């Protein structure tokens, strides 16, 4: 994942900013509920996750699903999934596995949320075949999709099929730099039960807004292939522990790397630390051939 990559990560202040005041307000009414946790990578192919799979692995997804309980499904961004493809993926995974498909780029990047009723219907109809294994769909808007087109975003949100949970990732800085625009957008998300994605990446600290709009933390963590990645994960666990106490209901945490082969290592560290701190029993992903951190 090259988005937000910097030449020298040691020059970046990776400190997590304070929570937005709206986050505690969102969480206060959901105390005491069990936390559902999904941790995964963004892809499962051998080319990117080099060294993760044992030699002789015949089906990558089948093996991946023995190590992780979820996948941030970026494959659906590059091509409209068919119902048959969705069923094939579904049938290769255990009963507790979850898919988090990204909405096809026809909707977000090529049509830019204009005249998208047909592709949205096609996409939604296909991913509904995941049934109980559908975690949450997410929309990633283009870096240059700005608040001047907020009417398109509002229309999209209002028309999105309510039976499918949705998260949205805003990327252009103008969504965050103007407090009035940001709050208006967050209120739109709250009203329509849209989860606001948080992105932690070196070169775009503005996307680390720490503003939840539902009792769901959907975090896309982008490592920098640097030793700081591990401390950053521990800092996230400190913050997530607070949110857990405040009433967080679901945690969806997906690990990316600029060099993706290290993603399983970071995920394993994150899950292991989580199990130690929270007493959870999530399977810690095992590495087949990777022996060093970087």
């Amino acid at each position: 994942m090259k988005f937000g990559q910097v030449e020298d990560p040691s020059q970046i202040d990776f400190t997590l900013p304070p929570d937005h005041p709206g986050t505690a307000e969102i969480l206060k009414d959901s105390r005491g509920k069990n936390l559902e946790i999904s941790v995964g990578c963004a892809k499962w192919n051998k080319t990117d996750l080099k060294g993760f799979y044992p030699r002789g692995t015949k089906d990558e997804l089948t093996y991946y699903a023995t190590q992780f309980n979820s996948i941030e499904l970026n494959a659906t961004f590059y091509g409209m999934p068919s119902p048959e493809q969705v069923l094939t993926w579904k049938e290769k995974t255990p009963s507790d596995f979850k898919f988090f498909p990204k909405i096809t780029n026809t909707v977000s990047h090529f049509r830019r949320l204009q005249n998208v009723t047909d592709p949205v219907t096609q996409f939604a109809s296909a991913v509904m075949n995941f049934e109980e294994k559908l975690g949450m769909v997410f929309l990633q808007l283009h870096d240059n999709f700005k608040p001047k087109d907020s009417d398109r975003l509002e229309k999209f949100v209002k028309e999105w099929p309510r039976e499918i949970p949705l998260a949205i990732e805003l990327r252009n800085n103008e969504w965050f730099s103007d407090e009035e625009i940001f709050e208006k957008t967050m209120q739109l998300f709250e009203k329509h039960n849209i989860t606001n994605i948080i992105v932690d990446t070196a070169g775009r600290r503005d996307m680390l807004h720490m503003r939840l709009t539902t009792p769901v933390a959907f975090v896309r963590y982008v490592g920098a292939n640097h030793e700081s990645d591990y401390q950053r994960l521990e800092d996230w666990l400190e913050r997530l522990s607070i949110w857990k106490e405040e009433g967080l209901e679901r945690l969806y945490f997906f690990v990316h790397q600029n060099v993706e082969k290290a993603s399983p290592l970071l995920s394993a560290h994150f899950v292991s630390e989580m199990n130690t701190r929270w007493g959870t029993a999530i399977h810690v992903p095992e590495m087949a051939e990777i022996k060093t951190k970087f």
Side-chain angles (χ1 to χ4, degrees):
M1 184 177 181
K2 304 301 182 184
F3 179 78
Q5 186 175 0
V6 297
E7 186 172 336
D8 185 2
S10 67
Q11 300 301 308
I12 301 297
D13 179 3
F14 284 111
T15 305
L16 291 179
D19 287 349
H20 187 284
T23 291
E25 286 296 310
I26 286 294
L27 296 177
K28 70 178 183 179
D29 294 327
S30 56
R31 292 181 186 275
K33 296 182 179 178
N34 292 328
L35 179 61
E36 174 190 316
I37 302 170
S38 294
V39 178
C41 299
K43 53 191 74 174
W44 64 67
N45 64 71
K46 289 181 183 177
T47 302
D48 290 303
L49 300 185
K50 188 175 177 60
F52 172 64
Y53 293 95
R55 292 183 180 180
T57 299
K58 294 182 178 179
D59 190 284
E60 297 162 1
L61 176 56
T62 298
Y63 178 77
Y64 174 95
T66 68
Q67 301 302 307
F68 290 94
N69 65 6
S70 59
I71 182 79
E72 186 196 274
L73 190 55
N74 280 271
T76 55
F77 177 73
Y78 298 103
M80 182 70 71
S82 67
E84 294 75 20
Q85 180 63 75
V86 167
L87 287 171
T88 297
W89 288 332
K90 176 177 181 282
E91 290 164 3
K92 289 183 177 183
T93 58
S95 59
D96 61 347
F97 192 85
K98 300 289 186 184
F99 291 86
F100 293 78
K102 185 191 290 189
I103 293 175
T104 308
N105 57 16
T106 298
V107 173
S108 57
H109 286 50
F110 295 113
R111 298 195 183 183
R112 300 174 64 86
L113 305 189
Q114 292 190 102
N115 303 315
V116 294
T117 300
D118 288 346
V120 164
T121 299
Q122 186 179 352
F123 183 87
S125 298
V127 300
M128 284 182 71
N129 285 282
F130 281 125
E131 296 180 314
E132 75 283 356
K133 294 184 183 181
L134 179 61
M136 179 173 278
V137 166
F138 73 105
L139 172 73
Q140 180 187 84
L141 291 168
H142 197 285
D143 307 7
N144 60 22
F145 187 92
K146 300 181 178 183
K148 67 181 179 63
D149 292 321
S150 60
D151 57 327
R152 300 185 199 175
L153 178 62
E154 182 175 356
K155 183 175 186 294
F156 180 87
V157 164
K158 289 179 176 179
E159 294 180 357
W160 178 258
R162 294 281 82 95
E163 64 270 26
I164 301 178
L166 176 67
I168 294 178
E169 177 181 318
L170 300 168
R171 284 191 159 191
N172 189 274
N173 176 261
E174 291 181 17
W175 294 101
F176 313 112
S177 59
D178 187 305
E179 186 174 344
E180 184 177 346
I181 289 173
F182 183 70
E183 192 53 37
K184 181 180 178 181
T185 307
M186 295 306 97
Q187 289 175 10
L188 173 71
F189 286 6
E190 285 185 33
K191 181 178 179 180
H192 295 278
N193 200 34
I194 305 297
T195 294
N196 189 28
I197 291 177
I198 297 173
V199 180
D200 184 349
T201 185
R204 285 296 307 274
R205 306 312 286 167
D206 56 318
M207 295 179 70
L208 205 59
H209 48 69
M210 312 308 277
R211 173 64 157 98
L212 301 185
T213 51
T214 66
V216 178
F218 193 132
V219 181
R220 306 182 75 226
Y221 173 90
V222 186
N225 294 99
H226 186 268
E227 283 293 334
S228 59
D229 292 345
Y230 289 84
Q231 181 58 53
R232 290 168 59 198
L233 287 172
E234 291 172 16
D235 292 346
W236 261 111
L237 281 170
E238 292 287 343
R239 184 62 55 89
L240 291 168
S241 295
I242 294 172
W243 291 355
K244 182 173 179 285
E245 289 300 311
E246 290 179 338
L248 189 69
E249 294 180 13
R250 297 179 182 85
L251 169 60
Y252 304 147
F253 199 96
F254 296 102
V255 176
H256 298 251
Q257 270 283 14
N258 293 317
V259 179
E260 287 286 3
K261 67 180 183 180
S263 294
L265 275 171
L266 291 178
S267 302
H269 179 80
F270 183 74
V271 171
S272 179
E273 287 292 309
M274 180 187 295
N275 287 343
T276 299
R277 297 184 188 211
W278 294 356
T280 49
I282 299 172
H283 175 74
V284 179
E286 300 168 5
M287 306 300 111
E289 299 176 19
I290 301 175
K291 304 299 182 184
T292 58
K293 288 183 178 181
F294 300 107

